[in-house]
Amino acid sequence: MDQDNKKRFMERIEEKSENLPWYVVEYIDKRKRILSPASLLNYCHDYIIFFDWLIAEGFVKGTRKDVPLEVLEKLTRQQVEDFLSFLEFKLHNSDLTVNRKLSALKSLFHYLQNIAETSELEPYLYRNVMAKMELNNIKEDQETIANRMEGKILRGDEYELFRQFVAYDYGVQNQENKKLYNFHQKNCERDTAIVSLILGSGLRLSEVIGLDVDDIDFKKFTVRVIRKGNKEQFVYFSEQAMLDLKEYIAIRTERYQLEKNFKALFVAAPMGPKGTTRRLTARSVEKLVEKYATAFGKPALSVHKLRHSFATRYQMENNDIPKLRRQLGHTSVQTTMIYTHLTNTELQDAVKKMDQREKDE
Protein backbone atom coordinates (compact mmCIF):
# COMPACT_ATOMS: atom_id res chain seq x y z
CA MET A 1 0.00 0.00 0.00
CA ASP A 2 1.48 3.35 -1.05
CA GLN A 3 1.91 6.20 1.43
CA ASP A 4 -1.00 8.27 0.06
CA ASN A 5 -3.40 5.34 0.30
CA LYS A 6 -2.10 4.45 3.75
CA LYS A 7 -2.58 8.06 4.83
CA ARG A 8 -6.22 7.98 3.67
CA PHE A 9 -6.82 4.78 5.61
CA MET A 10 -5.26 6.25 8.75
CA GLU A 11 -7.41 9.37 8.43
CA ARG A 12 -10.54 7.21 8.27
CA ILE A 13 -9.33 5.20 11.27
CA GLU A 14 -8.82 8.38 13.28
CA GLU A 15 -12.25 9.61 12.19
CA LYS A 16 -13.91 6.38 13.39
CA SER A 17 -11.84 6.31 16.58
CA GLU A 18 -13.03 9.73 17.67
CA ASN A 19 -16.37 8.24 18.72
CA LEU A 20 -15.00 5.16 20.49
CA PRO A 21 -13.99 4.83 24.18
CA TRP A 22 -10.51 5.98 25.16
CA TYR A 23 -9.28 2.45 25.85
CA VAL A 24 -10.28 1.33 22.33
CA VAL A 25 -8.41 4.31 20.85
CA GLU A 26 -5.37 3.29 22.91
CA TYR A 27 -5.64 -0.31 21.67
CA ILE A 28 -5.89 0.77 18.02
CA ASP A 29 -2.89 3.06 18.44
CA LYS A 30 -0.83 0.19 19.89
CA ARG A 31 -1.79 -2.13 17.02
CA LYS A 32 -0.74 0.23 14.22
CA ARG A 33 2.70 -1.35 14.04
CA ILE A 34 1.28 -4.87 13.75
CA LEU A 35 -1.95 -4.73 11.77
CA SER A 36 -2.47 -3.32 8.29
CA PRO A 37 -4.50 -0.10 7.98
CA ALA A 38 -7.28 -2.04 6.21
CA SER A 39 -7.53 -4.51 9.12
CA LEU A 40 -7.55 -1.70 11.68
CA LEU A 41 -10.36 0.05 9.82
CA ASN A 42 -12.37 -3.18 9.84
CA TYR A 43 -11.77 -3.45 13.59
CA CYS A 44 -13.12 0.07 14.04
CA HIS A 45 -16.32 -0.83 12.18
CA ASP A 46 -16.69 -3.99 14.30
CA TYR A 47 -16.24 -2.06 17.56
CA ILE A 48 -18.77 0.58 16.51
CA ILE A 49 -21.38 -2.16 15.97
CA PHE A 50 -20.58 -3.70 19.37
CA PHE A 51 -20.73 -0.47 21.37
CA ASP A 52 -23.89 0.66 19.58
CA TRP A 53 -25.47 -2.64 20.58
CA LEU A 54 -24.44 -2.12 24.22
CA ILE A 55 -26.15 1.29 24.20
CA ALA A 56 -29.27 0.01 22.43
CA GLU A 57 -29.59 -2.80 24.98
CA GLY A 58 -29.39 -0.33 27.87
CA PHE A 59 -26.03 -1.37 29.33
CA VAL A 60 -25.09 2.30 29.51
CA LYS A 61 -26.66 5.66 28.81
CA GLY A 62 -24.89 8.14 26.57
CA THR A 63 -22.59 7.69 23.59
CA ARG A 64 -20.06 5.05 22.60
CA LYS A 65 -17.31 7.10 24.23
CA ASP A 66 -19.18 6.89 27.54
CA VAL A 67 -19.03 3.08 27.85
CA PRO A 68 -16.81 2.41 30.90
CA LEU A 69 -14.52 -0.57 31.36
CA GLU A 70 -16.78 -1.79 34.18
CA VAL A 71 -19.52 -2.61 31.67
CA LEU A 72 -17.15 -4.85 29.70
CA GLU A 73 -15.94 -6.58 32.86
CA LYS A 74 -19.49 -7.43 33.98
CA LEU A 75 -20.70 -8.84 30.67
CA THR A 76 -21.90 -12.44 30.94
CA ARG A 77 -21.49 -15.22 28.42
CA GLN A 78 -25.21 -15.13 27.71
CA GLN A 79 -25.10 -11.43 26.97
CA VAL A 80 -22.27 -11.94 24.49
CA GLU A 81 -24.25 -14.82 22.96
CA ASP A 82 -27.13 -12.36 22.55
CA PHE A 83 -24.82 -10.00 20.69
CA LEU A 84 -23.65 -12.79 18.39
CA SER A 85 -27.28 -13.73 17.73
CA PHE A 86 -27.93 -10.07 16.89
CA LEU A 87 -25.12 -10.22 14.31
CA GLU A 88 -26.48 -13.41 12.80
CA PHE A 89 -30.24 -12.82 12.79
CA LYS A 90 -30.61 -9.03 12.73
CA LEU A 91 -27.60 -8.05 10.64
CA HIS A 92 -27.66 -11.32 8.66
CA ASN A 93 -23.93 -11.89 9.10
CA SER A 94 -22.54 -15.23 7.94
CA ASP A 95 -20.72 -17.57 10.35
CA LEU A 96 -17.42 -16.38 8.91
CA THR A 97 -18.33 -12.72 9.44
CA VAL A 98 -19.48 -13.40 13.01
CA ASN A 99 -16.17 -15.17 13.64
CA ARG A 100 -14.25 -12.18 12.33
CA LYS A 101 -16.11 -9.74 14.59
CA LEU A 102 -15.76 -12.02 17.58
CA SER A 103 -12.03 -12.31 16.87
CA ALA A 104 -11.76 -8.51 16.84
CA LEU A 105 -13.44 -8.37 20.26
CA LYS A 106 -11.26 -11.17 21.60
CA SER A 107 -8.18 -9.23 20.56
CA LEU A 108 -9.42 -6.06 22.26
CA PHE A 109 -10.36 -7.82 25.52
CA HIS A 110 -7.05 -9.70 25.55
CA TYR A 111 -5.24 -6.37 25.34
CA LEU A 112 -7.32 -4.90 28.15
CA GLN A 113 -6.70 -7.88 30.44
CA ASN A 114 -3.17 -9.01 29.63
CA ILE A 115 -1.26 -6.13 28.07
CA ALA A 116 -2.60 -2.73 29.14
CA GLU A 117 -1.96 -1.58 32.69
CA THR A 118 -2.78 1.37 34.89
CA SER A 119 -0.26 3.64 36.59
CA GLU A 120 -0.58 1.28 39.58
CA LEU A 121 0.47 -1.61 37.31
CA GLU A 122 -2.99 -3.14 37.42
CA PRO A 123 -4.74 -4.57 34.32
CA TYR A 124 -7.61 -2.62 32.78
CA LEU A 125 -9.80 -5.73 33.10
CA TYR A 126 -9.56 -8.54 35.63
CA ARG A 127 -12.32 -10.59 34.04
CA ASN A 128 -12.37 -11.36 30.29
CA VAL A 129 -15.67 -12.83 29.12
CA MET A 130 -14.51 -12.98 25.49
CA ALA A 131 -11.87 -15.56 26.43
CA LYS A 132 -14.77 -17.92 27.21
CA MET A 133 -16.45 -17.47 23.86
CA GLU A 134 -15.86 -19.99 21.08
CA LEU A 135 -15.78 -19.20 17.39
CA ASN A 136 -18.40 -20.73 15.12
CA ASN A 137 -17.47 -24.15 13.85
CA ILE A 138 -17.32 -23.75 10.09
CA LYS A 139 -18.55 -27.16 9.03
CA GLU A 140 -17.60 -27.00 5.37
CA ASP A 141 -14.49 -28.99 4.58
CA GLN A 142 -12.07 -28.09 1.82
CA GLU A 143 -13.72 -30.37 -0.72
CA THR A 144 -17.16 -28.85 -0.06
CA ILE A 145 -15.74 -25.35 -0.51
CA ALA A 146 -13.98 -26.47 -3.68
CA ASN A 147 -17.16 -27.98 -5.11
CA ARG A 148 -19.14 -24.84 -4.35
CA MET A 149 -16.45 -22.73 -6.00
CA GLU A 150 -16.19 -24.96 -9.08
CA GLY A 151 -18.94 -23.42 -11.18
CA LYS A 152 -18.01 -19.83 -10.33
CA ILE A 153 -14.50 -19.68 -11.75
CA LEU A 154 -12.96 -19.63 -15.22
CA ARG A 155 -11.71 -22.92 -16.65
CA GLY A 156 -9.89 -23.94 -19.81
CA ASP A 157 -10.50 -21.61 -22.75
CA GLU A 158 -12.58 -19.26 -20.58
CA TYR A 159 -9.46 -17.47 -19.30
CA GLU A 160 -8.60 -16.02 -22.68
CA LEU A 161 -12.24 -15.73 -23.78
CA PHE A 162 -13.04 -13.53 -20.78
CA ARG A 163 -9.93 -11.40 -21.28
CA GLN A 164 -10.82 -10.92 -24.94
CA PHE A 165 -14.39 -10.09 -23.96
CA VAL A 166 -13.20 -7.30 -21.64
CA ALA A 167 -10.73 -6.01 -24.25
CA TYR A 168 -12.93 -6.10 -27.37
CA ASP A 169 -16.19 -8.06 -27.42
CA TYR A 170 -18.00 -6.03 -24.77
CA GLY A 171 -17.63 -2.95 -26.96
CA VAL A 172 -18.86 -4.80 -30.04
CA GLN A 173 -21.81 -6.16 -28.04
CA ASN A 174 -22.83 -2.62 -27.04
CA GLN A 175 -22.20 -0.69 -30.26
CA GLU A 176 -25.81 0.49 -30.37
CA ASN A 177 -25.63 1.90 -26.84
CA LYS A 178 -23.43 4.98 -27.28
CA LYS A 179 -23.00 5.57 -23.55
CA LEU A 180 -21.81 2.03 -22.80
CA TYR A 181 -19.75 1.87 -25.98
CA ASN A 182 -17.93 5.17 -25.36
CA PHE A 183 -17.28 4.32 -21.72
CA HIS A 184 -15.79 0.99 -22.78
CA GLN A 185 -13.64 2.63 -25.44
CA LYS A 186 -12.24 5.01 -22.85
CA ASN A 187 -11.46 2.34 -20.25
CA CYS A 188 -10.94 -0.93 -22.13
CA GLU A 189 -7.12 -0.90 -21.83
CA ARG A 190 -7.31 -0.20 -18.10
CA ASP A 191 -10.01 -2.81 -17.45
CA THR A 192 -8.20 -5.43 -19.52
CA ALA A 193 -4.97 -4.78 -17.62
CA ILE A 194 -6.76 -5.22 -14.28
CA VAL A 195 -8.45 -8.48 -15.28
CA SER A 196 -5.30 -9.80 -16.99
CA LEU A 197 -3.13 -8.97 -13.97
CA ILE A 198 -5.40 -10.81 -11.53
CA LEU A 199 -5.74 -13.81 -13.88
CA GLY A 200 -1.99 -13.77 -14.39
CA SER A 201 -0.87 -13.37 -10.79
CA GLY A 202 -3.69 -14.14 -8.32
CA LEU A 203 -3.32 -10.77 -6.55
CA ARG A 204 -5.94 -9.74 -4.01
CA LEU A 205 -8.24 -6.82 -4.76
CA SER A 206 -6.62 -4.67 -2.05
CA GLU A 207 -3.20 -5.40 -3.54
CA VAL A 208 -4.31 -4.45 -7.06
CA ILE A 209 -5.82 -1.08 -6.13
CA GLY A 210 -2.81 -0.22 -3.94
CA LEU A 211 -0.31 -0.58 -6.80
CA ASP A 212 1.80 2.31 -8.01
CA VAL A 213 3.40 2.48 -11.47
CA ASP A 214 6.85 2.07 -9.91
CA ASP A 215 5.78 -1.25 -8.33
CA ILE A 216 5.88 -2.97 -11.73
CA ASP A 217 9.14 -4.57 -12.89
CA PHE A 218 8.68 -5.52 -16.55
CA LYS A 219 12.13 -7.08 -16.83
CA LYS A 220 11.58 -9.54 -13.98
CA PHE A 221 7.81 -9.95 -14.53
CA THR A 222 7.17 -9.06 -10.89
CA VAL A 223 5.03 -6.62 -8.99
CA ARG A 224 5.77 -5.27 -5.52
CA VAL A 225 2.85 -5.64 -3.10
CA ILE A 226 2.26 -5.18 0.60
CA ARG A 227 0.52 -8.30 1.82
CA LYS A 228 -1.40 -9.01 5.02
CA GLY A 229 0.63 -8.12 8.07
CA ASN A 230 2.34 -5.29 6.14
CA LYS A 231 4.77 -7.76 4.56
CA GLU A 232 6.46 -6.69 1.33
CA GLN A 233 6.59 -9.31 -1.41
CA PHE A 234 7.49 -9.44 -5.09
CA VAL A 235 4.87 -11.48 -6.96
CA TYR A 236 5.30 -12.88 -10.46
CA PHE A 237 2.78 -12.18 -13.22
CA SER A 238 2.22 -13.70 -16.66
CA GLU A 239 3.54 -12.53 -20.01
CA GLN A 240 0.00 -11.73 -21.17
CA ALA A 241 -0.49 -9.55 -18.11
CA MET A 242 2.76 -7.75 -18.94
CA LEU A 243 1.58 -7.04 -22.49
CA ASP A 244 -1.77 -5.72 -21.27
CA LEU A 245 -0.13 -3.58 -18.60
CA LYS A 246 2.24 -2.06 -21.14
CA GLU A 247 -0.66 -1.25 -23.46
CA TYR A 248 -2.53 0.44 -20.60
CA ILE A 249 0.48 2.40 -19.35
CA ALA A 250 1.13 3.67 -22.89
CA ILE A 251 -2.23 5.51 -22.90
CA ARG A 252 -2.64 6.08 -19.15
CA THR A 253 -1.19 9.60 -18.72
CA GLU A 254 -2.91 11.23 -21.67
CA ARG A 255 -6.19 9.32 -21.49
CA TYR A 256 -6.75 10.10 -17.81
CA GLN A 257 -5.19 13.57 -17.86
CA LEU A 258 -2.54 12.75 -15.27
CA GLU A 259 0.39 14.71 -13.98
CA LYS A 260 3.64 12.93 -14.79
CA ASN A 261 4.35 12.25 -11.11
CA PHE A 262 0.91 10.71 -10.41
CA LYS A 263 1.81 7.40 -8.74
CA ALA A 264 -1.36 5.31 -8.68
CA LEU A 265 -1.33 2.61 -11.37
CA PHE A 266 -5.07 2.16 -11.87
CA VAL A 267 -7.02 5.40 -11.99
CA ALA A 268 -10.58 6.59 -12.54
CA ALA A 269 -11.62 9.03 -15.25
CA PRO A 270 -11.61 12.72 -14.18
CA MET A 271 -14.82 13.76 -12.44
CA GLY A 272 -16.34 16.88 -10.96
CA PRO A 273 -15.99 20.57 -11.89
CA LYS A 274 -12.23 20.46 -11.47
CA GLY A 275 -11.85 17.17 -13.35
CA THR A 276 -9.89 15.52 -10.53
CA THR A 277 -8.35 12.13 -11.29
CA ARG A 278 -8.08 9.65 -8.44
CA ARG A 279 -6.93 6.14 -7.66
CA LEU A 280 -9.49 3.51 -8.62
CA THR A 281 -11.36 2.24 -5.54
CA ALA A 282 -11.99 -1.37 -4.57
CA ARG A 283 -15.72 -0.97 -5.16
CA SER A 284 -15.11 0.44 -8.63
CA VAL A 285 -13.05 -2.62 -9.56
CA GLU A 286 -15.71 -4.93 -8.13
CA LYS A 287 -18.40 -3.18 -10.17
CA LEU A 288 -16.47 -3.28 -13.44
CA VAL A 289 -15.79 -7.02 -13.04
CA GLU A 290 -19.46 -7.61 -12.19
CA LYS A 291 -20.45 -5.68 -15.32
CA TYR A 292 -18.24 -7.71 -17.62
CA ALA A 293 -19.05 -11.02 -15.89
CA THR A 294 -22.80 -10.51 -16.29
CA ALA A 295 -22.47 -9.55 -19.95
CA PHE A 296 -20.13 -12.53 -20.49
CA GLY A 297 -22.82 -14.87 -19.17
CA LYS A 298 -21.07 -15.79 -15.92
CA PRO A 299 -22.65 -13.45 -13.33
CA ALA A 300 -21.23 -15.36 -10.34
CA LEU A 301 -17.72 -14.40 -11.43
CA SER A 302 -16.18 -11.80 -9.10
CA VAL A 303 -12.78 -10.28 -8.42
CA HIS A 304 -12.09 -12.95 -5.81
CA LYS A 305 -13.18 -15.68 -8.23
CA LEU A 306 -10.64 -14.35 -10.75
CA ARG A 307 -8.00 -14.94 -8.06
CA HIS A 308 -9.37 -18.45 -7.55
CA SER A 309 -9.29 -18.99 -11.31
CA PHE A 310 -5.58 -18.16 -11.40
CA ALA A 311 -4.86 -20.47 -8.47
CA THR A 312 -6.77 -23.36 -10.02
CA ARG A 313 -4.95 -22.99 -13.32
CA TYR A 314 -1.57 -22.69 -11.59
CA GLN A 315 -2.11 -25.83 -9.54
CA MET A 316 -3.40 -27.72 -12.59
CA GLU A 317 -0.29 -26.89 -14.60
CA ASN A 318 2.38 -26.95 -11.87
CA ASN A 319 1.07 -29.10 -9.00
CA ASP A 320 3.22 -27.19 -6.51
CA ILE A 321 1.35 -26.15 -3.36
CA PRO A 322 4.32 -24.45 -1.58
CA LYS A 323 4.97 -22.14 -4.56
CA LEU A 324 1.26 -21.45 -5.02
CA ARG A 325 0.95 -20.62 -1.33
CA ARG A 326 3.71 -18.03 -1.65
CA GLN A 327 2.25 -16.62 -4.87
CA LEU A 328 -1.16 -16.12 -3.25
CA GLY A 329 0.25 -14.86 0.06
CA HIS A 330 -1.59 -17.44 2.15
CA THR A 331 -0.58 -17.68 5.81
CA SER A 332 -1.80 -21.25 6.14
CA VAL A 333 -1.07 -24.05 3.68
CA GLN A 334 -4.53 -25.46 4.48
CA THR A 335 -6.10 -22.53 2.63
CA THR A 336 -4.03 -23.31 -0.45
CA MET A 337 -4.94 -27.00 -0.28
CA ILE A 338 -8.44 -26.14 -1.54
CA TYR A 339 -7.00 -26.04 -5.03
CA THR A 340 -5.86 -29.64 -4.87
CA HIS A 341 -9.55 -30.56 -4.68
CA LEU A 342 -10.46 -28.22 -7.52
CA THR A 343 -7.87 -29.73 -9.84
CA ASN A 344 -8.14 -33.38 -8.82
CA THR A 345 -9.85 -34.84 -11.88
CA GLU A 346 -8.29 -38.29 -11.49
CA LEU A 347 -11.03 -39.52 -9.14
CA GLN A 348 -13.74 -38.35 -11.50
CA ASP A 349 -12.01 -40.04 -14.43
CA ALA A 350 -11.66 -43.25 -12.43
CA VAL A 351 -15.37 -43.29 -11.60
CA LYS A 352 -16.24 -42.69 -15.26
CA LYS A 353 -14.04 -45.63 -16.28
CA MET A 354 -15.77 -47.85 -13.70
CA ASP A 355 -19.15 -46.85 -15.10
CA GLN A 356 -17.96 -47.63 -18.63
CA ARG A 357 -16.67 -51.07 -17.63
CA GLU A 358 -20.01 -51.92 -16.03
CA LYS A 359 -21.80 -50.96 -19.22
CA ASP A 360 -19.39 -53.04 -21.31
CA GLU A 361 -19.93 -56.06 -19.09
Side-chain angles (χ1 to χ4, degrees):
M1 182 180 293
D2 69 285
Q3 289 302 313
D4 290 340
N5 215 20
K6 185 175 182 179
K7 181 180 177 182
R8 283 193 292 271
F9 265 100
M10 297 312 296
E11 287 173 352
R12 292 176 65 191
I13 290 168
E14 289 179 9
E15 179 185 336
K16 299 294 181 185
S17 300
E18 286 179 359
N19 296 313
L20 287 168
W22 64 268
Y23 47 86
V24 179
V25 176
E26 179 183 306
Y27 164 79
I28 291 171
D29 187 61
K30 299 291 185 184
R31 302 293 287 179
K32 286 178 181 177
R33 291 187 298 104
I34 302 170
L35 293 175
S36 69
S39 295
L40 278 176
L41 186 59
N42 282 332
Y43 274 31
C44 287
H45 287 303
D46 296 339
Y47 297 148
I48 286 171
I49 292 171
F50 175 65
F51 285 103
D52 281 350
W53 178 82
L54 288 177
I55 293 168
E57 292 296 310
F59 287 94
V60 65
K61 293 181 180 179
T63 66
R64 298 183 204 119
K65 296 181 71 171
D66 299 322
V67 179
L69 285 164
E70 290 77 14
V71 168
L72 305 188
E73 193 157 42
K74 292 178 181 178
L75 282 174
T76 66
R77 284 193 61 179
Q78 184 56 56
Q79 288 167 340
V80 178
E81 289 287 358
D82 291 343
F83 171 66
L84 300 181
S85 295
F86 165 76
L87 294 177
E88 181 177 356
F89 298 110
K90 294 293 185 181
L91 299 188
H92 306 292
N93 288 170
S94 67
D95 286 349
L96 285 171
T97 303
V98 172
N99 277 357
R100 182 178 62 76
K101 291 178 179 176
L102 179 55
S103 294
L105 289 170
K106 279 177 168 287
S107 181
L108 172 64
F109 275 63
H110 173 77
Y111 171 80
L112 297 176
Q113 182 187 40
N114 299 300
I115 300 175
E117 57 186 18
T118 67
S119 56
E120 290 80 25
L121 304 183
E122 297 292 329
Y124 287 1
L125 290 183
Y126 284 100
R127 179 177 169 276
N128 178 0
V129 66
M130 293 299 170
K132 303 178 181 181
M133 307 306 299
E134 297 179 355
L135 298 172
N136 285 319
N137 180 24
I138 307 300
K139 297 179 181 179
E140 290 183 326
D141 59 19
Q142 291 171 339
E143 192 160 2
T144 302
I145 296 171
N147 289 335
R148 180 160 47 80
M149 194 190 303
E150 175 74 26
K152 301 177 181 179
I153 62 175
L154 299 173
R155 304 298 291 266
D157 294 340
E158 288 182 326
Y159 292 92
E160 180 56 21
L161 287 173
F162 185 64
R163 194 195 72 82
Q164 288 283 341
F165 183 81
V166 175
Y168 307 109
D169 298 340
Y170 181 86
V172 174
Q173 189 180 93
N174 291 282
Q175 279 183 323
E176 302 302 318
N177 187 324
K178 291 300 181 183
K179 183 177 180 180
L180 291 181
Y181 178 77
N182 291 335
F183 193 78
H184 177 259
Q185 291 298 107
K186 184 177 183 66
N187 297 299
C188 60
E189 290 90 353
R190 181 200 67 187
D191 297 353
T192 304
I194 291 172
V195 168
S196 190
L197 179 59
I198 300 173
L199 286 176
S201 67
L203 290 180
R204 295 181 176 93
L205 174 59
S206 59
E207 294 164 350
V208 171
I209 63 168
L211 289 175
D212 289 339
V213 176
D214 293 342
D215 292 327
I216 308 293
D217 188 330
F218 288 108
K219 292 183 179 179
K220 296 181 179 179
F221 285 52
T222 60
V223 57
R224 174 187 171 275
V225 297
I226 303 300
R227 308 218 102 148
K228 289 185 176 180
N230 281 330
K231 296 178 181 177
E232 180 184 78
Q233 185 177 332
F234 291 87
V235 180
Y236 290 98
F237 56 84
S238 68
E239 183 176 357
Q240 183 61 62
M242 179 195 70
L243 294 173
D244 291 330
L245 281 167
K246 281 186 173 180
E247 189 170 344
Y248 163 64
I249 289 174
I251 59 91
R252 169 182 166 275
T253 301
E254 184 177 348
R255 180 79 56 83
Y256 295 95
Q257 302 171 32
L258 302 176
E259 299 292 336
K260 288 187 177 180
N261 60 350
F262 195 86
K263 294 181 179 181
L265 176 60
F266 294 116
V267 296
M271 292 181 66
K274 297 182 179 179
T276 305
T277 304
R278 66 193 187 285
R279 183 184 294 272
L280 207 60
T281 65
R283 184 58 190 142
S284 295
V285 175
E286 288 174 334
K287 287 174 68 176
L288 74 85
V289 170
E290 289 168 5
K291 175 186 72 175
Y292 290 121
T294 301
F296 183 69
K298 204 150 186 171
L301 191 63
S302 63
V303 176
H304 201 55
K305 295 302 185 296
L306 293 181
R307 174 173 154 88
H308 286 316
S309 298
F310 162 82
T312 305
R313 186 178 189 179
Y314 184 99
Q315 178 60 12
M316 181 78 76
E317 295 180 359
N318 298 285
N319 192 28
D320 192 328
I321 285 294
K323 287 182 180 177
L324 177 58
R325 176 189 176 187
R326 184 186 183 281
Q327 180 76 16
L328 296 176
H330 285 159
T331 304
S332 169
V333 71
Q334 294 302 316
T335 308
T336 319
M337 290 296 289
I338 291 172
Y339 301 103
T340 62
H341 295 286
L342 275 169
T343 59
N344 186 9
T345 58
E346 288 82 5
L347 286 175
Q348 185 179 8
D349 291 342
V351 171
K352 286 181 178 178
K353 289 178 181 178
M354 289 173 58
D355 289 341
Q356 188 60 46
R357 281 200 299 270
E358 289 179 1
K359 290 177 182 179
D360 293 340
E361 293 171 0

